[in-house]
Amino acid sequence: MDPMETRRNAIVELIDEKGTVSFSQLKNAFPQVSEMTLRTDLRLLDEEKRILRIHGGAKSVQVLIGTDGLLKRKSVRNIPEKQKIAQKALTLLRADTTVYLDSGSTATVLARQFPDQSNLIYTTGLSCATELAELKEPTVMLPGGKLNRYSQSVFGFSAIKELERVNFHQAFLGITGFHLSAGFTCGINDEAILKQTVIRQSEQVVMLMDPSKVGVKCSFGVCGLADVDILISGGQLPEEVLAECRRYGVTVL
């Protein structure tokens, strides 16, 4: 593979991982590449429909079409951070409670380590349900709904209506992006509504977010920091994010 193709693949990978990338972020990520070359790369990648150029940067096509990233691709990203998040989340779990476990790669890591204890667990993640099926004590519920084959999750009207009838002690939610001006966001409107439903039905809302999601603004808003009780991160968050968490009384683990 020639250097130009290698560089452009790396650009696409960075944009897919972040969701939205500014041109200044690209310059920092590729300091040896001239601005003119980077702009040419973006133009050609846009023409090939591998990214979408926007004013001041580029967006991931995966986010725009509402896939929130292929689960198989996301499952190999930021593995140490996801494992740290899962370990911290495990300390919050209590037996004999009703828990919502979101879909996604981070939630799947948590499901893989979930203790074999008495819980009623609702999950919209097929990969989470597969991991939880190894346990004997919990009762695992998978709401009916529309299948998102990219994220291997269930969403849509039927799933939302079913979750509206459940009162959760704890909800562990994954997220596609967090931006100080937009809050927590994702790439699918129905997914956003489903998460909002779970938040309303939960006594304690725990957001699972590795630092790579910070600065990413997707199409649909889910909630703000005021709606979250605990934010679990697998790494150090920027000081401005920590300051906002303190402002809204969000515990950061």
Side-chain angles (χ1 to χ4, degrees):
M1 187 180 295
D2 66 74
M4 181 183 67
E5 186 176 355
T6 300
R7 183 183 68 249
R8 289 178 181 171
N9 287 341
I11 290 172
V12 173
E13 184 175 344
L14 174 65
I15 294 170
D16 280 345
E17 180 175 328
K18 296 291 186 182
T20 302
V21 174
S22 67
F23 191 71
S24 62
Q25 287 176 306
L26 281 173
K27 288 195 296 182
N28 291 335
F30 301 92
Q32 306 303 320
V33 183
S34 70
E35 288 193 16
M36 181 176 295
T37 299
L38 279 176
R39 294 188 190 280
T40 300
D41 287 342
L42 292 182
R43 176 175 59 80
L44 293 175
L45 289 171
D46 179 79
E47 290 175 359
E48 294 172 3
K49 301 188 185 303
R50 297 178 66 189
I51 65 163
L52 180 73
R53 282 199 301 171
I54 59 174
H55 179 69
K59 275 192 174 185
S60 167
V61 172
Q62 293 295 338
V63 171
L64 287 167
I65 64 176
T67 66
D68 279 353
L70 295 170
L71 181 65
K72 290 181 180 178
R73 177 162 48 184
K74 292 173 69 178
S75 65
V76 297
R77 294 179 186 163
N78 306 318
I79 293 174
E81 290 84 355
K82 291 171 183 176
Q83 291 175 336
K84 290 178 184 177
I85 291 171
Q87 287 296 316
K88 293 176 181 179
L90 288 173
T91 66
L92 301 176
L93 291 171
R94 305 187 305 272
D96 302 314
T97 59
T98 302
V99 175
Y100 174 79
L101 182 59
D102 208 356
S103 62
S105 55
T106 304
T108 302
V109 175
L110 175 55
R112 190 173 300 136
Q113 301 180 36
F114 208 97
D116 197 357
Q117 63 186 27
S118 176
N119 288 104
L120 175 58
I121 307 171
Y122 278 77
T123 183
T124 50
L126 302 186
S127 57
C128 292
T130 299
E131 297 291 346
L132 294 169
E134 300 295 323
L135 305 177
K136 296 179 180 180
E137 295 299 322
T139 298
V140 181
M141 303 293 293
L142 192 64
K146 184 178 179 181
L147 173 66
N148 181 335
R149 62 177 58 88
Y150 300 99
S151 62
Q152 296 182 27
S153 64
V154 176
F155 71 111
F157 178 78
S158 297
I160 291 169
K161 294 303 290 184
E162 185 169 346
L163 294 173
E164 281 179 341
R165 300 186 293 105
V166 186
N167 296 313
F168 298 103
H169 293 97
Q170 290 177 306
F172 294 87
L173 296 172
I175 205 68
T176 308
F178 174 79
H179 195 281
L180 286 175
S181 66
F184 298 98
T185 60
C186 68
I188 306 175
N189 189 37
D190 281 354
E191 285 274 11
I193 296 172
L194 187 148
K195 292 179 193 292
Q196 290 166 353
T197 300
V198 170
I199 289 170
R200 287 194 301 271
Q201 297 297 114
S202 301
E203 292 180 8
Q204 184 183 68
V205 176
V206 182
M207 197 65 75
L208 312 175
M209 184 183 78
D210 68 71
S212 70
K213 306 298 176 64
V214 175
V216 176
K217 186 192 296 184
C218 301
S219 301
F220 301 100
V222 174
C223 68
L225 284 169
D227 303 300
V228 174
D229 298 295
I230 299 174
L231 175 60
I232 302 182
S233 172
Q236 184 62 36
L237 296 173
E239 179 54 40
E240 58 268 27
V241 175
L242 294 174
E244 283 297 287
C245 288
R246 290 192 292 268
R247 178 186 172 194
Y248 286 99
V250 178
T251 299
V252 179
L253 298 179

